Amino acid sequence: MVQPFNGVETPGLSTASSSAPLSDAVITARTDSYFNRTKQIVSRFGDCEVTYAFFIRRPVISAPGLMLEWLKNVMAERNSPYTVEVAHPEGEWVGAGEPLVYITGSFTHLADLETLLLQKLGSPCVAAHRAYQIALSLPHTKFLAMDARHCAGYEMQELMAYAASVGGRAAKRDGAIGFIGTANDAVAPFFGSTHGYGTMPHALIGYAGSTVRAAEMFHDLYPDTDLVVLVDYFGKEVTDALAVCRRFPDLAAQGKLAVRLDTHGGRFLEGLTTQESYAVLDRHAPDALRRYRSDSELRYLIGTGVSAAAVWRMRDMLDEGGFPHVKIIASSGFGVTKCACMADAHAPIDVVGTGSFIPDLWNETYATADIISYNGVERVKVGREFLLPSQRKTQKGSAE
């Protein structure tokens, strides 16, 4: 039902839990009561064919896939025909207020679906836009969607992972690597994969008692999996990273070993201070510091946590230690601004793990729908005439 992305069918939609049909009883319980009452009134006084227009009040990347897959499954259960016009194909930029999708069908069978359809449209479109911006900010870096822990349940997790996949593919179309995967098996199909990526949390290092021992345990059980080691648990990122490299020199030489920087914002990476951070960045990317910076931008460059200076120091130490093929994975707050700062500093990050494409302002994600025609006759509430196909054709003709 979704227009293919660059001619390729969107993966993962048919197997997503949030696209499975719901019984009428569940839909009735979860939709707004005035839609249920409207359905009963229309059923009594006579059904008609209606067309809904769905839109969002801010610019987004079109991501209607999960909504339309769910609609397809519900309408199949109801044996009710309908048609869809996707005004903006998946992955396309959409201006504020522009209709994304038109849905035409039985008023009786569509009236009680509006609430649930809107729930599945707004947040993915905004999150896809943010994922697109993040990926374009660091076009030569791979991204992993690590949003699950920040989501309110599995349905939100699916909506956000789907959004990251759409935004990532849109960024790839525009020259970036984009999002290559996620941390969870259940949503991996959105990225064309069967499994999530990830090796160890901080808890495993605490259990093992040392970073090296945790790496040994992991490699013993998963010898064929690339080894990614968190190195901030004991506050000795450089020391522990080099110790792991020396313990696994073959993996390091083959590019199958990576260190993950996740230093929290309360301290500097091992060996750095404010002054040394300035010095590191001045050696590698002096221009990044020679223009006005906001406080947050400056923190991303030379502050505590996973800064650009921290990434450069780790790269320097790995190279000086004889491990130039060991990769650096970075996480912790990689939103649009932080990624742009990392790009300015030419930070040598191979992979970023982030969930920061989840919208900051949830009220920006609210999608809206209006019926714009009844039995083929255009009619919409005053102020929403811009949704009418006739008005849009007139505007398009005037522009041409």
Side-chain angles (χ1 to χ4, degrees):
M1 189 62 65
V2 183
Q3 292 186 7
F5 189 99
N6 287 345
V8 179
E9 293 292 335
T10 304
L13 293 179
S14 61
T15 57
S17 298
S18 54
S19 67
L22 300 174
S23 69
D24 286 348
V26 172
I27 291 172
T28 297
R30 295 190 179 278
T31 199
D32 292 310
S33 61
Y34 50 74
F35 291 136
N36 289 327
R37 289 170 175 167
T38 298
K39 177 172 183 163
Q40 295 303 317
I41 292 169
V42 172
S43 297
R44 177 174 177 179
F45 289 94
D47 197 8
C48 71
E49 182 184 81
V50 294
T51 297
Y52 284 83
F54 289 78
F55 68 99
I56 303 173
R57 293 179 176 86
R58 56 150 286 170
V60 295
I61 294 291
S62 178
L66 279 173
M67 179 190 78
L68 294 179
E69 187 72 15
W70 181 78
L71 175 66
K72 179 185 75 174
N73 292 331
V74 170
M75 295 298 267
E77 291 282 314
R78 294 182 171 186
N79 195 27
S80 179
Y82 72 103
T83 60
V84 170
E85 178 191 346
V86 179
H88 291 278
E90 186 180 72
E92 185 174 288
W93 183 86
V94 186
E98 293 185 28
L100 287 100
V101 176
Y102 292 100
I103 297 173
T104 300
S106 160
F107 197 7
T108 298
H109 288 296
L110 289 174
D112 60 335
L113 304 185
E114 182 174 333
T115 299
L116 281 77
L117 290 170
L118 293 174
Q119 290 175 349
K120 298 175 187 292
L121 178 64
S123 60
C125 289
V126 177
H129 187 260
R130 289 170 62 85
Y132 169 80
Q133 291 178 307
I134 286 172
L136 275 188
S137 295
L138 280 171
H140 305 299
T141 299
K142 298 176 182 178
F143 283 83
L144 289 178
M146 298 179 66
D147 53 294
R149 69 193 65 188
H150 307 304
C151 292
Y154 77 87
E155 185 167 16
M156 181 180 176
Q157 178 188 354
E158 287 189 339
L159 293 172
M160 293 300 98
Y162 163 65
S165 72
V166 172
R169 290 197 301 276
K172 184 176 181 180
R173 173 197 63 202
D174 292 340
I177 296 175
F179 283 77
I180 62 165
T182 180
N184 305 99
D185 292 352
V187 294
F190 290 130
F191 301 88
S193 180
T194 59
H195 62 279
Y197 294 94
T199 52
M200 65 183 66
H202 292 97
L204 180 63
I205 299 170
Y207 166 77
S210 79
T211 304
V212 171
R213 183 56 186 147
E216 290 173 341
M217 290 177 174
F218 182 91
H219 187 63
D220 181 67
L221 194 58
Y222 303 102
D224 298 324
T225 300
D226 288 359
L227 181 58
V228 179
V229 183
L230 276 163
V231 292
D232 67 294
Y233 189 93
F234 296 101
K236 298 181 178 180
E237 290 89 347
V238 173
T239 299
D240 282 355
L242 292 175
V244 171
C245 291
R246 296 184 186 112
R247 175 62 182 81
F248 297 98
D250 291 341
L251 293 180
Q254 295 167 16
K256 294 183 178 181
L257 176 61
V259 295
R260 177 181 160 201
L261 302 183
D262 196 49
T263 305
H264 67 76
R267 66 174 185 82
F268 285 97
L269 179 135
E270 180 188 12
L272 287 182
T273 61
T274 299
Q275 292 75 17
E276 183 58 29
S277 295
Y278 271 107
V280 169
L281 211 57
D282 195 51
R283 289 197 299 272
H284 290 287
D287 289 343
L289 293 170
R290 293 175 184 172
R291 68 177 178 84
Y292 172 78
R293 292 288 182 181
S294 67
D295 289 342
S296 61
E297 289 177 325
L298 199 59
R299 185 172 70 253
Y300 295 147
L301 291 172
I302 51 85
T304 54
V306 185
S307 66
V311 176
W312 270 116
R313 173 166 170 76
M314 180 58 71
R315 185 73 269 161
D316 287 344
M317 295 299 97
L318 289 171
D319 290 351
E320 290 176 16
F323 305 107
H325 301 298
V326 173
K327 297 179 176 63
I328 295 176
I329 297 176
S331 54
S332 187
F334 274 77
V336 176
T337 302
K338 186 167 186 175
C339 287
C341 289
M342 292 291 175
D344 286 346
H346 310 294
I349 305 173
D350 296 288
V351 181
V352 166
T354 184
S356 293
F357 50 86
I358 295 177
D360 283 334
L361 300 175
W362 203 251
N363 63 352
E364 289 189 348
T365 71
Y366 301 160
T368 303
D370 280 293
I371 294 178
I372 61 168
S373 76
Y374 300 81
N375 285 332
V377 178
E378 288 189 346
R379 190 183 309 132
V380 71
K381 78 175 185 179
V382 174
R384 296 281 170 81
E385 293 84 0
F386 64 90
L387 297 172
L388 298 174
S390 61
Q391 292 286 327
R392 295 181 60 76
K393 288 178 181 177
T394 299
Q395 293 170 1
K396 184 177 180 181
S398 299
E400 292 175 348

